[in-house]
């Protein structure tokens, strides 16, 4: 996937505004660089004046290594794919190692569906120390993440939505004729705005199929995700 530098800058600037880091923050770089989530770990600390801590190679698969690294380096922010978050919370619960996470202030989850059970266990094991869990959604074709949902600490919704669009991103839920769907009615999620990639390297036909003209923005392009979604009455997307 060919990503414009400006699209990544937009993603980083949104995070800086919405969830700011500072000199007291330590971001754990635990995602292999072949996975798009690694981009904010690799670059956001530098533009926000924070510190980056590199996890040892392969350590992202070992909850004990992650917990020890967090404690030793006073890590304040880190990312999990939800399935790994589930395994990590399982380890926290049965090892009694939750105390090693006292420095953590923000945990981000993306790449898969975040489940209510993940939020419930997070709030019970880690959230009590003031840490918050943030659900992010987005395909590589739209520069990593395009929607966010700040998980509540006082209750768990029946399902965890992907949330609302980040800055300079447009999320459309359309029917098969590219008509906007009303609240509550499922349709295919399309992504427009500054985040849309150039396309696929040397795959012109696939690029033309997935990256199409934005009917609601003259001269704009949008990416067809193939994901079914619907607007919720509170403005979040499920």
């Amino acid at each position: 996937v060919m990503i414009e530098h400006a699209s990544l800058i937009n993603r980083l600037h949104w995070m800086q505004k919405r969830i700011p880091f500072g000199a007291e923050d330590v971001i754990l770089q635990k995602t292999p660089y072949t996975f798009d989530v690694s981009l904010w770990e690799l670059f956001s600390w530098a533009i926000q004046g924070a510190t980056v801590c590199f996890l040892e190679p392969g350590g992202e698969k070992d909850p004990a290594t992650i917990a020890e690294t967090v404690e030793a380096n006073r890590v304040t922010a880190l990312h999990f794919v939800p399935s790994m978050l589930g395994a990590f919370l399982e380890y926290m619960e049965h090892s009694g190692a939750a105390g090693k996470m006292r420095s953590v202030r923000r945990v981000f989850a993306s790449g898969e569906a975040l489940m209510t059970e993940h939020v419930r266990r997070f709030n019970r094991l880690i959230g009590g120390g003031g840490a918050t869990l943030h659900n992010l959604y987005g395909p590589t074709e739209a520069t990593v993440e395009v929607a966010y949902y700040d998980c509540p600490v006082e209750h768990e919704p029946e399902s965890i939505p992907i949330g609302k669009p980040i800055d300079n991103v447009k999320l459309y839920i359309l029917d098969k004729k590219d008509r906007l769907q009303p609240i509550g009615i499922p349709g295919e999620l399309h992504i427009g705005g500054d985040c849309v990639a150039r396309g696929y390297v040397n795959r012109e036909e696939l690029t033309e199929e997935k990256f199409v003209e934005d009917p609601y923005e003259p001269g704009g392009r949008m990416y067809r995700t193939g994901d079914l979604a619907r607007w919720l009455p509170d403005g979040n997307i499920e």
Side-chain angles (χ1 to χ4, degrees):
V1 179
M2 297 181 285
I3 300 294
E4 297 278 354
H5 287 76
S7 299
L8 177 57
I9 292 297
N10 182 69
R11 165 67 179 79
L12 296 175
H13 278 186
W14 165 79
M15 196 172 203
Q16 186 174 6
K17 186 173 81 173
R18 175 74 192 181
I19 310 166
F21 296 108
E24 71 283 358
D25 283 297
V26 179
I27 298 170
L28 184 63
Q29 203 290 317
K30 63 183 274 295
T31 306
Y33 72 88
T34 50
F35 184 30
D36 61 3
V37 168
S38 66
L39 289 174
W40 80 264
E41 295 177 344
L42 287 167
F43 296 122
S44 62
W45 64 274
I47 68 171
Q48 299 198 43
T51 299
V52 65
C53 169
F54 281 81
L55 189 65
E56 66 179 59
E60 71 276 3
K61 302 171 186 175
D62 181 20
T65 299
I66 296 171
E68 290 163 7
T69 303
V70 166
E71 182 181 42
N73 296 276
R74 298 194 57 78
V75 169
T76 62
L78 66 164
H79 173 276
F80 287 99
V81 173
S83 55
M84 185 58 194
L85 176 62
F88 185 77
L89 293 172
E90 183 89 10
Y91 168 79
M92 289 282 107
E93 191 158 28
H94 292 98
S95 68
K100 295 183 177 182
M101 302 293 286
R102 277 191 291 265
S103 63
V104 174
R105 290 291 170 263
R106 304 176 188 91
V107 174
F108 302 94
S110 68
E112 299 167 351
L114 185 68
M115 311 305 289
T116 300
E117 178 59 23
H118 293 138
V119 179
R120 184 179 298 118
R121 295 182 88 174
F122 177 89
N123 286 340
R124 186 175 76 248
L125 294 168
I126 301 175
T132 53
L133 180 61
H134 306 268
N135 188 33
L136 305 176
Y137 162 87
T140 306
E141 291 88 343
T143 315
V144 193
E145 288 129 355
V146 295
Y148 70 97
Y149 177 74
D150 301 327
C151 298
V153 295
E154 67 281 354
H155 69 280
E156 296 83 32
E158 291 183 8
S159 66
I160 308 300
I162 63 171
K164 301 175 181 179
I166 71 169
D167 293 346
N168 304 308
V169 166
K170 297 177 180 179
L171 300 181
Y172 305 114
I173 297 175
L174 307 177
D175 66 11
K176 291 183 179 179
K177 294 184 178 179
D178 285 346
R179 294 176 298 197
L180 294 167
Q181 295 289 70
I183 293 172
I185 304 301
E188 183 181 359
L189 182 61
H190 293 64
I191 303 170
D194 292 352
C195 60
V196 180
R198 288 185 185 179
Y200 300 106
V201 177
N202 298 327
R203 301 194 68 181
E204 191 172 332
E205 286 187 14
L206 186 60
T207 297
E208 290 179 359
E209 175 191 340
K210 301 293 284 184
F211 295 87
V212 297
E213 183 180 346
D214 184 342
Y216 302 100
E217 181 68 35
R221 298 164 64 247
M222 62 182 185
Y223 171 69
R224 302 168 56 97
T225 68
D227 291 338
L228 282 178
R230 63 178 178 177
W231 288 105
L232 300 176
D234 63 1
N236 287 304
I237 291 177
E238 182 180 57

